Amino acid sequence: MDLIIVVPIMLPILTGFLLGIIKPNYNNRNTIIISSTILNFILILYIILFKHNVSFHIVKINEFLDIYLMPDNIGKIFATLVSALWILTTFYSIDYMGNQKNLNKFFMFFMITEGVTIGIAFSGNLITLYLFYELLTLSTFPLVIEKGSEKALQAGKKYLIYSFFGATMVLFGIILLFSQTQNLAFTPGGIVGSVPMGNPNFYLFIYILLFLGFGVKAALVPFHSWLPSAMVAPTPVSSLLHAVAVVKSGIFALGRMTYYILGWEVIEHTKGNDYMLILVLITILMGSFLAIHQQNLKKRLAYSTISQLGYIMLGLVIFENSSYIGGMLHMLFHATIKITLFFCVGAIMHYENKTELKEIEGIGKRMPKTMLSFTVASICLIGIPPMNGFVSKWFLAIGGLERGNYFVPIILLLSALLTAAYLIPIISSAFFKGKPAHDVEVSEPNNFMLVPIVLLAVLNVILGFFPNALITMIQSAASKLF
Amino acid sequence: MIKFIPLINILILILFSFIILITKKEKNVKLMSFASNIITFLLSILLLTRVLLEDFIVLNLGKNNSLLGIQFYIGSSEAVISLTFTFVMLMILWFSNSSVKKEVSEIRISFFYILINILLASLLGVIYSNDLFNSYVFIEVSTLSACGLIILKDKKENIKATVKYLIMSTIGSGLVLMAIAYIYSITGHLNITNINEVIVSSYQSHQNAVLIILGLFTVGLGIKSAVFPLHSWLPDAHSSAPTPASAALSALVIKVYVFMLIKILFRMFTYEIVNSFIIMDIILLLGSMGMIFGSIMAIFQKELKRMIAYSSVAQMGYIVFGIGLGTISGTAIATYHIIGHAVTKSSLFLISGLMIEKTSSKKIEDLKGIGREMPITLGLFTLGAFSMVGIPILPGFISKWYLSLACIEVGRVPLILIILASSLLNVLYYFPIIINGFFGNENLDGKIYKSKKIELSRLIPIFFLVLSIILVGAFSSKLINLF
Amino acid sequence: MEIFTENYFETGAIILFGIGFVTLMLHSNLIKKIIGMNIMDTAIFLFFISKGYVTNKEAPIVVDITKNPDSYINPVPSALMLTGIVVAVTTTAFALALTIKLYKHYNTIDLEKILEMREES
Amino acid sequence: MIKKDIILKEVGKIIIPLVQIFGIYIIVNGHLSSGGGFSGGTVLASSLIIMHLIYGEAYVEKNIKKETLIKFISISLIFYAVVKGYSFLSDVYNLPHPALGPVGKIFSAGFILYLNIVLGILVASIFYIIFSIFISKEV
């Protein structure tokens, strides 16, 4: 019964519309949201374990425009990541948002975005991916401008213009591609390989178009400036969007495009990946440099996301088995780490309403558990050996070496230093500055917020110690590609 | 009997409009015009099924040999277009029987229904007729009834818009008549199929004569269908006319002349002849300029209806672009876009009419925060805007997609940039309305409207139109390989 | 050059068409525009009917006995021009009515002035 | 404002019926000699206009009211449409046609005669209405 894969996409969207229509009051709205996200998570687990190579055409208008869902294992991994983190974020945002007046609209779009992101994970061809890609922009836009202030509207408009510009580039690439290959389905190893090689720079042009198009969402350097300005949104939105949903779907689409559509031999033949490599390296360095002297905590984390995304793109651009695994691993680990960091910063903002670095002296003594998990997460991000950040960086470095360009590991190490440079000051000012510990009473955020933060920190550590369960799964996907 | 449907269609419409002339009570004026439209709609469904079964129908009125008599030729594209037009007109009529009272003074209501009936009859006439002079007469009738519709409100700007429209369209029809005279002098026939036989053999000898004819037809019909440089009458005419009339005008009337241009270019002069002349590149140029500048001008508009009018100039650019490509797939997309755009544009205009009635001001600034007051209407408007901007599944996207494919087929890849650029420009002027309508706190609070509740019954016709947008999108593949 | 002198009807019609077209386009006074429109239409009718003319044949009117058909000129264009004339008359009547209404509202019939008025009104 | 001028009125009394008869002649002989509905109708309309000019608004208004004219128009239009439609449809299903009389006689051309008459009335009343609207300035 192939219909099962449509359910995890439709369920959140329907609950979203349900919220919009019946406008429930505070607590039964919370129950609806929590139950639907948990149900969704269980459904996806069920699909992963029992359903193998199942596919479903939602609507087939004509030979190019068919909405076709075909979750392979990369798609399943991404979907599990999204739905798991969505549950935690729902708990977090219920407490964070409190009960303002029109939260129904907020949670409506919140649920629709989850459905659309899982749609991206499950999409079977480039057109479905493009459709969900556009819907993602439209459904995340109201979340970004939740505050409704003039500044939020400006940031929202900027976000919209960037993503529509990216979407048009992607559309241009898809049209050119379709005129050559007449089909857009994802096939491991790429469909272009089979088509006789017309002229290489035509495919180079398509590759660059698609890379930049999806790169806008993945905060590639020239198009990254919408990410920090979208920090004006409330923390659950900015943490979810800029750690899990929007940015990662851009990366996921890039991965799909390079390995499942164009195929890496074709790109290598057209030397497209060398140009992109330069761009990715610039992203990594620029992200970390800018993050260092950012005073606002959320902006600092935003720039760190840009540089971490550069890591993942590095994995996609170096066509090596281990670097692919490293990229995918970092995609997962970065999501969990960054969401913890954002949660902690959000907790600080919500309870102490302090946002600048100077204001949070001695916060560690007031909120020990939150800041402890913040330190654990930042250690993972820097990539100190036992933690999960190190595992993915390790694979990336090996991939770089196998490919033969030596400056990849150098760049990795350099940016690991830079990550330390912008994370450690936060920890040090939190714990070692400010008034002595005994005369400060402890005021932890209530457990609706605290539980997700601690859970995530523990999850990071476990993933660090026992990553090979994940590695084998990604390895099975990667084996088909190389 | 089915063979006679086109004639019966037109006859019923004209007959009922005359009967309305006499009836006094307003209620059965509406009843009659409604009845005539429903009959024509059902008949055109019958016609479409008949055409789908056998190939095209040729209907000779009067003399059998087509030398003298009027001839109707109904191929698959004509049948589908006439079905869409009758459907859209039915919805406009349904919408107008509640909203026309507010805009048009009491005594002129019956004139409104008469003109709408005659307009639809003449539009169907132009689509069906295979005879040049006969379609010229129908064009004149449609222009005059369109002028009548614009002037119904009888205010200052209406009269100015009508004068401008009348003068521009008389120039257009003068050129068209001259072109028909020219064709007649070369071929001695007035019937498209006969002319085709003669032209195919003899066009080498009359090289520049055929060029002049093509030029006259393109400019003449271009003026009437508001192709880019010749469109200056459209914004005034469409923004000052009453809402149902402006919806009918911009969705139906300007499409018919372009369809006649398609008939002339591709059925009379076959593809090879037309492509051997430079006229095709000029049309392509006109189309691409229209796409870009139409949207640019729409961005700077302050009033809602003028903005939508300029956006139909841009959409006409798409259709002319499709023709300019000069391939079979190009024309198929142009016809598909005629249908897609007719449905979307009429729903957008009707919704904007409702919104203007609610905020009682034409300016776009006053539409801020309308999402709170009329969520459903703005929701429908968003759907229409999505189709214009080109979100997949909706017809806007499909015609953009196929247009660019046709461009690649012809080998002019940079033209795709123009298509995509113009769809980006569409975003720039449709989305601010939606954004300010739904979101933004300072837009929403402090919004007090005269709480004229727009009762839902007025929304049903628009709901059907929006539904048909999705349907047109869904069945696009079958539609396209029909043409 | 002898093309022009030979079928001088067509050349006359084209020249008239040019004059009518130019007056319709360029003159700002509405009445002049309507006159130009009429000139243009009559020029086209002349062109059409001259197409039907066959030298030394007479008009197709049944006086008392009907002669054999080939002694008449080709009646088709002149029949068509009947409808053409009616169309031209209706447009002129409509345009005249519009000019009167315009005069009532703007008390000038100079189109340029009326258009400027729109800018500042 | 038209001063009561005896000469005009007397001459009018004689000329107007003549003009009307001439108009009717043109309409009826439409299918034989040149003329037919359009030209005959205009001649009839000119007779009405002369009457309007000479005897002034009130006189004409008395016996040809505006509503009756509009009724005339719509009835003749409907008649024309029905007959024309019938003629198109009938030659396919060979329904009865009025007899085609001998060539050259008045009742010789089947429908055309009735159509011409109806068309004449139509054109006459329309032209007269246009004239009366223009002259009464309530355009």
Side-chain angles (χ1 to χ4, degrees), chain B residues 156-168:
Chain B
K156 263 169 79 128
E157 73 276 3
N158 286 80
I159 300 164
K160 191 189 307 108
T162 335
V163 166
K164 217 166 147 190
Y165 176 51
L166 189 68
I167 290 163
M168 293 285 269

Side-chain angles (χ1 to χ4, degrees), chain D:
Chain D
M1 44 95 182
I2 303 164
K3 54 183 177 8
K4 293 279 174 297
D5 191 328
I6 307 297
I7 307 163
L8 257 183
K9 286 175 76 138
E10 290 319 320
V11 167
K13 272 209 210 67
I14 302 156
I15 289 188
I16 289 170
L18 271 177
V19 168
Q20 277 166 349
I21 294 160
F22 179 61
I24 292 162
Y25 164 74
I26 292 176
I27 293 174
V28 167
N29 276 295
H31 51 280
L32 301 173
S33 63
S34 68
F38 289 119
S39 32
T42 34
V43 171
L44 260 179
S46 59
S47 70
L48 288 173
I49 290 164
I50 298 164
M51 196 197 298
H52 185 153
L53 286 178
I54 295 170
Y55 296 99
E57 176 79 23
Y59 175 79
V60 175
E61 193 55 33
K62 190 155 51 55
N63 44 34
I64 308 173
K65 276 178 291 307
K66 197 61 70 56
E67 289 70 25
T68 52
L69 274 180
I70 292 181
K71 272 204 180 40
F72 261 6
I73 293 175
S74 40
I75 291 161
S76 42
L77 270 174
I78 293 165
F79 181 82
Y80 186 89
V82 167
V83 167
K84 200 72 182 166
Y86 177 77
S87 71
F88 282 146
L89 295 177
S90 56
D91 58 19
V92 173
Y93 297 95
N94 42 51
L95 302 164
H97 264 257
L100 283 174
V103 172
K105 287 294 168 292
I106 289 199
F107 295 99
S108 66
F111 282 120
I112 297 178
L113 177 66
Y114 311 111
L115 291 180
N116 268 338
I117 295 166
V118 159
L119 204 59
I121 302 164
L122 185 70
V123 170
S125 32
I126 285 183
F127 269 127
Y128 176 67
I129 285 181
I130 290 177
F131 171 76
S132 61
I133 288 175
F134 268 62
I135 203 157
S136 65
K137 279 192 201 39
E138 33 96 0
V139 171

Side-chain angles (χ1 to χ4, degrees), chain B residues 12-30:
Chain B
I12 287 177
L13 280 171
I14 294 181
L15 208 62
F16 271 82
S17 67
F18 296 151
I19 298 165
I20 293 171
L21 199 62
I22 318 167
T23 53
K24 283 290 160 287
K25 280 201 301 305
E26 194 207 321
K27 208 174 61 56
N28 50 29
V29 163
K30 280 197 197 122

Side-chain angles (χ1 to χ4, degrees), chain A residues 272-310:
Chain A
N273 60 349
D274 302 343
Y275 309 133
M276 286 307 138
L277 189 62
I278 304 151
L279 215 58
V280 164
L281 293 177
I282 297 167
T283 330
I284 299 176
L285 291 178
M286 233 184 87
S288 354
F289 278 128
L290 286 173
I292 289 169
H293 43 70
Q294 268 298 342
Q295 279 317 318
N296 182 314
L297 287 175
K298 274 177 79 172
K299 282 238 169 23
R300 179 170 287 209
L301 287 181
Y303 280 108
S304 102
T305 320
I306 296 173
S307 80
Q308 298 302 326
L309 290 175

